[in-house]
Amino acid sequence: MQSTSEASVVDELVTDVKQEVRLARRCFAQIDRLTNLMMSYPPGHPIVEEAANVTVQSFREFFEHNDRLSVLVDAHSMKYLGTEERVWETEDPRDYSWALSRDGVYLLHILAGIDQNELRTFVEVLNQLVDERDLSKDAVSILFEAGFRYISYDAIDESLAKLAGLEVDIRDRDTKEEQELIEELFEEAFDKEQQNNMTPEQARQKQQEEFQLRMQKRSERQQRMELGSRQFLDLSPEAQEHLRELKRGFTEHAELEHREGEILAAILGARPKEKLRHQSIDQIGEVMGTLLETQHPWESLEFLKLIHEWRDKFDGPVTGELKNVVAECFTGRRLALMIKMVATAPPDVRRAILQMFNALHLGPASTELVRLLAWDIPEDVEKDVKRFLMERSKYGVGFLKQAIFEVPAEKAKPLVEIAVARMPKSKDVILEIITQPAEPEIKVMALRSMSGHWDSPDQAAELLTPLLTASHEGIRIAALRGLADANPSKLFPLLSGMLNNQLAKKSENEAKEIALLFLQLGGAQALVEMKELIHKRGVVGESDRDLAVLLAKLIARNPQPGVVELLTEVANDWLVPGKIKSTCKELSDLLTR
């Protein structure tokens, strides 16, 4: 029996989910409104701006309850992940949900942190899909090229099938009525063909081996789907029959492997004894390896999808064993060949391979692609690889750690940018850059990104203090600012020691940073010490005089409380040497005008 406390917790959870569903509906309603307005009004129109602000606010309200809005994409609706509740639906024949599902996008995630610019880009992508401005690109390619930081997706990419040689009309998917008509045409054609070709012995075998029958039906059903299109209905009966004959040999270069995969999956689905199970899994690995060594390695992903369709019928150990055998297929040699294809192949092939890497979550592939950036590769290849690495960094940044120190400095910068974008998840990588020898530019980027992410003030002091005397000015200034932010009490006495004759040897920018931070952090005490250094009377040495003049000029650049009074007091003291006195008077007059 459920206790009262347990029941209250369940009720509270249900209430939270209902609230999230309500807010998610509001978010997608605003996106729907914004898509219409952006198609109707020019950029910058007040109505569009207001709608964009309302849309962002809707998402902010949702993210107060959950840091991720995930929806299952259906043909004309979207369901809130984990529920049966629809957060958006329409009766329009063509809408952005239909466009996404048409191209295989079945899961969409919008993450906390998304801003108005990224939401606008997302809406532009949706409008592009619905308008079908560029029929050569599908939803997966367009989303991939957009390079979103806070939007991700899962997709069964039909463009892979197209690249592999399938003549799939993914741009003109059939309506429900047309699908029914095509289904009737093919049922009649296939049933007739089977009746003519099947012997009595084959009929008996069909009854005895049920899994082979299921496999055959699935194969025929898939073939019918691939043949269906609006254009098919416009053909004459003779042309339709001719098209059937042509299309029956689809994926010829991988047909044998795909059929073998269906058979092996069916055997595993029948839960065989251990020996046969191991033989089947090993054979799947061999077929997978064969496909990876062809000129169309992404066929292996299609092959895995055939296996995956049987997963509900597998014994418990099978899933883990399959994962292991698939991982073993991606040997160093095979991976190197595919990386070379990424660098040299046309864009459609390159992106198909990258999408396969992404779908299979191949860690070694990310590491090798990072090293690829050290090569002299075309700009479009470099752009695609960087976009892929940014996408993979959502799941972890370990692949960056070693590579940042291996590639040339100019190539390492975009890798550091990825690490910075994934803070604080990438803190280990950033700290490695700070503590190890690295190019000044990327070390400065790493130092800046640690603002607000130090484990403790002591950690900041330990790592930043040695950098205050680094040979590179940018590193010294970044360390000054970082320590001022994380451990100001530690920095103040260090700054006091820097106010000496060596200050004149530093650049004006660095000297000003030291003087201003000293006054900001030290308050009244800093003002007293600064006065002792500037308010010199009587006979003064040249070095002390020059330091006083320099400090007066520095603190006047961005005067803190008490600075004007200090300069005025020095300017009015007749015992102060002339150069110091005249400098302070000039600065005081400028500040009091």
Side-chain angles (χ1 to χ4, degrees), residues 160-343:
L160 295 178
K162 184 178 180 182
L163 289 169
L166 295 176
E167 299 296 331
V168 184
D169 188 1
I170 62 176
R171 286 289 136 198
D172 202 5
R173 185 67 62 81
D174 307 315
T175 64
K176 182 178 180 182
E177 293 76 14
E178 289 167 333
Q179 286 178 351
E180 291 176 353
L181 181 52
I182 292 170
E183 191 76 14
E184 291 176 6
L185 288 170
F186 277 102
E187 288 287 357
E188 181 180 355
F190 275 93
D191 290 346
K192 182 178 180 180
E193 183 184 50
Q194 287 182 356
Q195 291 171 6
N196 292 338
N197 297 335
M198 187 177 292
T199 64
E201 183 179 352
Q202 288 174 327
R204 286 194 299 272
Q205 184 179 6
K206 181 178 178 182
Q207 293 178 351
Q208 293 172 355
E209 301 184 18
E210 185 180 356
F211 75 87
Q212 288 185 0
L213 172 70
R214 289 198 300 269
M215 181 192 71
Q216 189 176 14
K217 285 184 176 179
R218 285 173 54 250
S219 173
E220 293 167 2
R221 186 164 58 252
Q222 180 184 2
Q223 193 170 350
R224 287 196 297 271
M225 287 172 59
E226 304 299 351
L227 288 171
S229 72
R230 283 184 171 80
Q231 286 79 5
F232 180 85
L233 294 173
D234 296 333
L235 298 175
S236 66
E238 294 79 12
Q240 289 181 14
E241 183 60 31
H242 180 63
L243 182 62
R244 288 191 189 99
E245 295 299 330
L246 290 176
K247 293 289 185 82
R248 284 202 175 99
F250 70 93
T251 64
E252 291 179 358
H253 64 280
E255 184 177 8
L256 177 61
E257 289 83 359
H258 282 198
R259 294 295 179 266
E260 190 172 358
E262 288 182 324
I263 295 170
L264 291 167
I267 292 173
L268 291 174
R271 303 191 174 186
K273 293 183 179 180
E274 185 175 3
K275 183 177 180 180
L276 180 56
R277 188 186 81 209
H278 289 319
Q279 289 176 342
S280 300
I281 292 173
D282 290 343
Q283 184 65 17
I284 285 174
E286 291 179 14
V287 176
M288 181 87 174
T290 300
L291 290 171
L292 287 174
E293 293 185 5
T294 67
Q295 292 300 307
H296 307 86
W298 56 85
E299 276 287 356
S300 59
L301 186 58
E302 296 301 305
F303 174 77
L304 285 178
K305 288 175 184 176
L306 294 173
I307 307 297
H308 192 63
E309 289 182 13
W310 290 83
R311 66 190 183 281
D312 294 336
K313 302 184 184 301
F314 293 161
D315 278 330
V318 171
T319 301
E321 292 170 354
L322 280 173
K323 287 182 179 178
N324 292 335
V325 79
V326 169
E328 291 170 359
C329 288
F330 288 88
T331 62
R333 182 180 62 82
R334 288 171 179 159
L335 201 55
L337 290 173
M338 285 183 280
I339 297 297
K340 185 176 180 181
M341 290 179 70
V342 169

Side-chain angles (χ1 to χ4, degrees), residues 512-532:
K512 182 179 70 173
E513 192 77 27
I514 292 172
L516 295 182
L517 282 176
F518 178 73
L519 289 177
Q520 289 174 4
L521 301 179
Q525 180 185 347
L527 201 60
V528 170
E529 293 187 29
M530 189 65 72
K531 182 178 179 181
E532 292 176 357

Side-chain angles (χ1 to χ4, degrees), residues 1-27:
M1 181 177 179
Q2 191 178 43
S3 67
T4 304
S5 60
E6 290 174 340
S8 64
V9 170
V10 172
D11 292 341
E12 184 178 348
L13 290 173
V14 171
T15 303
D16 289 344
V17 172
K18 288 182 178 179
Q19 177 75 344
E20 290 174 10
V21 169
R22 182 180 66 82
L23 293 173
R25 285 175 178 153
R26 182 186 301 174
C27 291

